[in-house]
Amino acid sequence: MDPAPTSAAPLSAPTQKSKDPADPHRRKVATAAALASAVEWYDYFVFGIAAALVLGDLYFPAGSSSAGVLAAFATFAVGFLARPIGGVIAGQLGDKRGRKPMLVLALTLMGVSTTGIGLLPTYETVGIAAPILLVTLRVLQGIAVGAQWGGAMLMATEYAPEGKRGLYGSLVQLGVPIGVVTANTVFLVAGAATSESAFEAWGWRVPFMVGILVLVLAWYIHTRVEETPEFRAAEKALAEKEKGEKGDGGGKSSPLRTILRHHLGTVFLAGGSFAVNTATFYIIITGVLDYTTRELDMKRSAVLTVSLCVSLTQLALIPASAALSDRIGRLRIYAIGAAGLAVWAVPMFLLIDTGSLLWLAVGTFVTSCFLSIMYGPQAALFAELFTAEMRYTGASLGYQIAAVFGGGLAPFVMVLLLEATGTSMAVSAYIIGLAVIALVSIKVLAGRASSR
């Protein structure tokens, strides 16, 4: 049984109620949520870049270069496996105790774990303890980002003014390209400021040390930002309901239990709709970085520069697609992006395989456009799939399921496919398969929305 929640906003016609505070505080909350997302994703992405460049040799030195990269990417994937844990824990507590405290906790955990990676000794220094500690810290990063997204997304969307939930939700989504741009920039600066040997010895650690600034932002949100009005209203209604249930011998409700019993289908459809986006994203920012430098002998700094420039274009495309979804519907925009990824998957790798920086930029730029078209309205879409009292849990689970089966495994699967087949067309087929799953999921969600 998986009935559509009756109080969530329609998916094809974006309407919503508004219980908003004064504009100045709304803007402050939206800015804080966007910054929280940006610094959290920065911390998360520096690991992916480091995994593609240096972690294999420093923490998994045995075997071939491919084996070391696979081990590093497997550690990268472990963070994604931990993300649903963060989503479940924060979702349960966030739907019961509030969005803000879970966001603060997630930021604190991310700051501590990222700084810890920057200080971690290598395999040569402490032996097997080094990869064990690296995996442990990566798990903590995964739990943190799994907890963060729902909190930041709901802080933004639940404060959004009438008719602008998509646009406000996209401010949190901008954290991804901002995180990518910042991570790539810091790595480029660290590489330019050090020799090759110095970069491998200590230069790669500098981007991780920036993570300590996350703790400052966590303190600011804790002391200066208020809880969302929608949560306060849902909390009051839930308290009154539970008071009546106790009088009838009922127990306290659990958002997770409600999701698992009645809305699990919606969670999986949400995950299925988004897996192609997150998989393709990590392929072009992490998998392609390894592929072009290791297999095509392209320069690391040049490929990082291309990735940085391509990510900059998302800063305009993400809010534009989100604003358009406020006018013509989330799922319509979402489907255009998914279809575009399916069509472009083969041309993208044909261009990358030329070994030309220009064609690499063209191939990944077009892909980035389709990713942005999907990613812009995604926060508002997932928020509207669930009612306020279970929204943190439901939206987080849908997002993190996609992250596990899409993004977390994508660079690892890419290397395996390349090793097994010797052709990048196998990776294109992987993207196309995920895009088909996304389009089917979107069609089912659209059918449910039209039947309400």
Side-chain angles (χ1 to χ4, degrees), residues 67-444:
V69 171
L70 280 170
F73 279 158
T75 305
F76 178 70
V78 165
F80 286 83
L81 295 176
R83 281 169 61 167
I85 298 173
V88 168
I89 295 173
Q92 278 279 90
L93 295 174
D95 281 329
K96 286 178 172 291
R97 306 301 180 192
R99 304 358 180 162
K100 188 182 83 169
M102 292 303 101
L103 180 57
V104 171
L105 181 61
L107 288 168
T108 302
L109 183 59
M110 179 62 85
V112 171
S113 57
T114 302
T115 304
I117 293 173
L119 298 173
L120 192 64
T122 64
Y123 186 94
E124 184 179 4
T125 304
V126 296
I128 193 64
I132 292 174
L133 289 171
L134 182 66
V135 171
T136 301
L137 291 170
R138 182 58 179 171
V139 168
L140 294 178
Q141 274 195 323
I143 291 173
V145 81
Q148 173 272 143
W149 182 79
M153 178 271 289
L154 293 179
M155 290 292 288
T157 59
E158 291 184 350
Y159 263 104
E162 183 76 31
K164 293 186 177 180
R165 177 173 276 170
L167 179 60
Y168 269 61
S170 73
L171 298 178
V172 174
Q173 306 297 75
L174 286 175
V176 170
I178 291 173
V180 172
V181 168
T182 308
N184 277 287
T185 300
V186 174
F187 265 101
L188 279 170
V189 172
T194 60
S195 64
E196 191 73 22
S197 59
F199 179 81
E200 292 181 1
W202 60 267
W204 67 271
R205 297 179 183 274
V206 174
F208 287 93
M209 301 310 296
V210 178
I212 200 167
L213 298 177
V214 179
L215 301 175
V216 177
L217 181 60
W219 174 84
Y220 175 83
I221 293 175
H222 176 68
T223 57
R224 301 294 180 88
V225 174
E226 297 177 5
E227 187 55 78
T228 72
E230 282 196 37
F231 172 77
R232 293 197 297 266
E235 184 181 38
K236 182 178 179 181
L238 189 61
E240 292 175 354
K241 177 183 176 182
E242 288 174 349
K243 184 177 179 181
E245 288 176 346
K246 287 179 181 179
D248 295 331
K252 194 171 185 178
S253 64
S254 163
L256 180 61
R257 185 163 58 243
T258 301
I259 288 291
L260 294 179
R261 286 182 177 178
H262 304 297
H263 304 286
L264 191 58
T266 300
V267 169
F268 282 115
L269 286 171
S273 74
F274 190 61
V276 65
N277 185 288
T278 186
T280 307
F281 174 77
Y282 283 103
I283 283 172
I284 67 170
I285 71 159
T286 301
V288 168
L289 176 59
D290 167 65
Y291 177 61
T292 53
T293 55
R294 185 166 57 87
E295 299 290 341
L296 303 181
D297 294 324
M298 299 176 72
K299 291 185 177 180
R300 179 184 67 206
S301 59
V303 176
L304 283 172
T305 301
V306 168
S307 179
L308 187 154
C309 293
V310 168
S311 295
L312 283 172
T313 64
Q314 293 184 309
L315 298 178
L317 291 171
I318 286 175
S321 66
L324 187 60
S325 79
D326 283 327
R327 301 183 62 183
I328 68 173
R330 320 282 183 221
L331 290 173
R332 188 174 300 171
I333 299 297
Y334 212 57
I336 292 172
L341 290 175
V343 171
W344 188 249
V346 170
M348 177 182 72
F349 270 103
L350 290 176
L351 292 174
I352 292 172
D353 285 343
T354 64
S356 163
L357 278 176
L358 174 61
W359 293 123
L360 169 67
V362 172
T364 53
F365 168 73
V366 175
T367 303
S368 179
C369 290
F370 291 125
L371 291 175
S372 300
I373 289 171
M374 286 190 75
Y375 201 57
Q378 186 249 346
L381 171 63
F382 278 31
E384 291 167 355
L385 288 174
F386 306 96
T387 52
E389 65 272 12
M390 59 180 171
R391 185 173 289 155
Y392 202 139
T393 302
S396 293
L397 277 177
Y399 188 100
Q400 304 313 334
I401 285 173
V404 170
F405 294 103
L409 294 176
F412 185 81
V413 170
M414 178 177 173
V415 174
L416 285 180
L417 289 173
L418 290 170
E419 290 290 314
T421 66
T423 173
S424 60
M425 291 300 99
V427 185
S428 296
Y430 171 59
I431 294 173
I432 292 170
L434 291 175
V436 170
I437 293 173
L439 290 169
V440 171
S441 299
I442 292 167
K443 183 174 179 61
V444 175

